[in-house]
Amino acid sequence: MKNKTVVIVIAVIFIVILAILGFIALGEKDSSNVGDTNNKQQEVKGNYEDVVEAMKHIEPTNTVEEINAIIGFESTTDAMIGSDPIWKFDSKNWISFKTSGNDNITIQATIDKESIKSDNIKLPSSSDLQKDLNNGSFTYEELVQKIGGEGILTSISKGSKSYTWVDKTGQKLGATFNNESGKCTVASYR
């Protein structure tokens, strides 16, 4: 009788251990599936993979309807962002169409800086940048050479283009260049 009780206790313990191991294995399988869906490539919305690519094809003379066709989906408005037409690629990346006096149009991209960080970018100190601005300014090409990489086009208008650089630490430099002179008019760190 005593041997039978010991065998039953051992069998119950064995079954409990197997059940626990089974639940652990199922939990790992479920969590690995969640990871798989997060690692899948984000679905492309419209004609371009992201805001950066779309901005390369837009001109400051384009109408909202023309930009709808270029981007591949209709603009909307978002009360949190403002009343201007926007093309929202996701919650952190969009293009907005802003009009101001005299029908001046600015097409501006909002881009998650984490997606455009670069290890190759070496931003100059703000004092060096200010000195260059005060000494006759510089062109986009000169700044690209100094920084070590192309900027991301973030704003276009009839009179200017703005670019952004983000270094590996997340430091962000924005610079605006006059279309006529080609020179930088404003540069700032954010």
Side-chain angles (χ1 to χ4, degrees), residues 95-168:
I95 295 172
S96 59
F97 184 93
K98 300 174 187 272
T99 56
S100 58
N102 297 334
D103 292 327
N104 287 330
I105 296 169
T106 301
I107 300 164
Q108 186 169 350
T110 299
I111 303 169
D112 177 25
K113 76 176 185 177
E114 293 299 314
S115 69
I116 57 173
K117 270 186 187 180
S118 174
D119 291 344
N120 300 327
I121 299 299
K122 306 290 183 242
L123 299 177
S125 71
S126 59
S127 60
D128 284 348
L129 201 56
Q130 188 61 49
K131 189 178 1 171
D132 289 343
L133 279 170
N134 293 340
N135 289 331
S137 193
F138 45 86
T139 65
Y140 171 77
E141 291 77 15
E142 291 168 337
L143 188 56
V144 165
Q145 189 172 21
K146 181 177 225 166
I147 289 176
E150 295 282 331
I152 303 298
L153 180 63
T154 53
S155 179
I156 54 175
S157 69
K158 262 198 231 176
S160 65
K161 289 183 180 177
S162 296
Y163 295 87
T164 298
W165 290 263
V166 181
D167 70 10
K168 65 182 175 185

Side-chain angles (χ1 to χ4, degrees), residues 1-13:
M1 180 81 167
K2 204 174 189 180
N3 284 342
K4 205 174 197 182
T5 306
V6 171
V7 170
I8 292 174
V9 169
I10 290 173
V12 169
I13 291 172

